[in-house]
Structure formats: structure tokens, C-alpha cells
Amino acid sequence: MNTQHQPNPLELVKGLGLNRRQFLAATTGMAAAATVAGIPLATSASAAPGANGVVVPPGKRGIILYTVRDAISRDPATTPYASGFKAVLEELGRIGYKQVEFAGFGQHANAPGGNVNTVAGAQLLRTWLDDNGIEAEGNHGSIPSTVTDATLAQFDAACEVANILGMGHIGTGNDPTGSAYLADWVAAAERWDVFGQRAASHGLKLYTHNHDVAYSFLLDSGPLDAQGRPTRSSGTRRLEHFLANTDPAYVYLEMDIYWAHVAKYKHTAYTAADGSTVTSIFNPLSVVQKQPIRFPLFHAKDGDSRPDLANGYEMVPFGTGDIDYKTFLTQTGAKGYHNPMYEQDTAPGGAANPGQSLEYSRISYQNMAALRG
């Protein structure tokens, strides 16, 4: 997933002359016209809050705003559809969503509020969240690639913005490293422990997000190549190593359940140190069950089985695909702890269907609300 780059707001914080306590004290508390043909809704009605059998309680039904990035970024002067953060949050509130995850803080310059990628902009965003009964859970920002005084200050400023928005988590949409090699994952774990402890000092949980390759096999054994790097695997998957070598008090994961299922489809064997091929099928649910508290957030992204595609799945609105979310969400453990965020990378419909992403969001909300254990 490609997320918008988040500039460093440190200078803005200092420019206001605010310390952290003053900074936090200064905070204040679209109808989709297109109909998408062929997308079924779950048939059971949404239960009242607390009703027996509801898998995702009303207050836990969320969406990452990357799903509706087209609506947030378009010019309201050129379209009748909801545009910009204010209108999109209003529409998501009307649909019923109670949680959102940001994917950066950029919107079209002509949208209400203009450039909200500032401290004042974060205060305005918080007002719109509160007005619509929505809580911000996290953001796909960027985690510094080095640990220096400057990057720690940059990270502190991002944490301050997260606190303005009322987030409980701060994170990224990228893997901790794109490398296949053990040494790089060791270094990533050390760096994330530092920033995780820093996030905790701000009252936040630091989290990373997976794509399928993060659950492929780590190159950590066997003969070395010309650069002295291992060429084979012990069978440990990259993020499993990361989990085992980061402090559970400071570093958390947001499992993208769709990409985890793609990993189950794609990454099924590794070459062992002796050169043999070993079959090993990934089980996303089992990974969560072993440490459910390490996964405060999920991306509830659905997929239709498509063996003709390289990933084995095609992204579809939540509740219309083949991923067994009823089983997954009811068997993870730590009942009531996890926050599932609907995501669909392919939701925007472009010029041909400008209302599609918000219509898919409506369909997905209804299917999430209808999910019964």
C-alpha cells in the first residue's frame, strides 16, 4: 500500500511556543450517489449494541482512510461527491463507522481547512472527528530509518500530533525492513524497540503493518554468498523473527489479514540449510492466537479466491469474499481488544465511478455489522 508522506511537524509545535501539556490542552475536542452492481450485502440485520453473537461491536467498526483516499484528495469545487476530510468524515459517521485510521494528513487544497498537515490542522481534524462521533486509532506515517537526536525529535513531534487526534497507536503502512536477510531484521528490531519505548512515553503503542512478503522466509542459514550473506532459511518467517526479538511492551503489529492470507497462498516452502525443500504452510490466525495482545489493530481486507492471479486473491468489499472473518475474529483471543479496520486498496472507482469507494465503505460496514459468531 502506498501511503502519503507525513512531513515533520516539529517546527510547527515549537513555533506555537507550546510544551506537551499546553499542546494537548489546546486541542478541541456525503452521501455516495453511485450504486455498485453485483456486490451482495449480508442478509442478517445489524444487532443492537451488546446483542448476543455480534462479532464486531459498534464501537469497534473502523476504516482506514486509504480506502477513500480519492474522496479525501479530490477538489470539492469540481464534483458533487463528498470531498476532503470534513465531508468524508461526515459521510463515514452517517454510515456508522466509529473508528478511523489515517493514511497521512493530505487533502485537496480547496477542501475545508486547506492544509491540515499542521498542528492547527490536527486540531481541526480532531474537531471533525468529535463532531461525527469518530475516534482516530492510528496513522500510517513513517518511522525514522535511523536513531539520532534529530529523528527522535521528529518522532516526538509526530507523537504529539497523534495525541491531539486522540490516537492510541502510531505506526506505519510499511514493513520494518524490505530485506530478506537476518542482519537487517536484527537491526530493525533494535531500532523499533527504541522508537517503541519513545512512543510509550507519549502514551502510544507503536505498530508496524505487513504485506505478504513480510511473512516469507528469512534468509538466516546455509552457505554464504559473495557478500557474506546467508542463502538459505531455518524456516523462520521475517515478521515472526521480528516479534520474537522486539519488546512486547513497546512494539506491536497491525495484521493485514488479506496480505497474511496471500502469504499463506504464496510462501509455502523454503530451502533449508542442507539444500532440501521444506513445505511450511502459514497460519495467520495461529500467529495472532500465540500473542493476541501484540495485534491491537487489524486490516479487515477481504478477498475472492483467484488461483489465476499471482496473489491467489482479488480484493473485494468486506463480507463479499472468501476469507473466513467470522472464524478469524472470534478465535483470536483477547475478546474486545482488537480494532478491525476495513481496507480495500482497489476501492476508488476513478472518473467512471467517483462514488465507488464510499459505496464500498457502506457495503463493508453493513456486512461487518451483520457478522455473527
Side-chain angles (χ1 to χ4, degrees), residues 316-338:
V316 294
F318 183 88
T320 69
D322 298 326
I323 296 176
D324 185 357
Y325 271 98
K326 181 175 75 171
T327 297
F328 192 97
L329 294 177
T330 57
Q331 295 187 12
T332 54
K335 183 178 179 181
Y337 171 75
H338 304 103

Side-chain angles (χ1 to χ4, degrees), residues 26-37:
T27 64
T28 58
M30 122 193 101
T35 299
V36 183

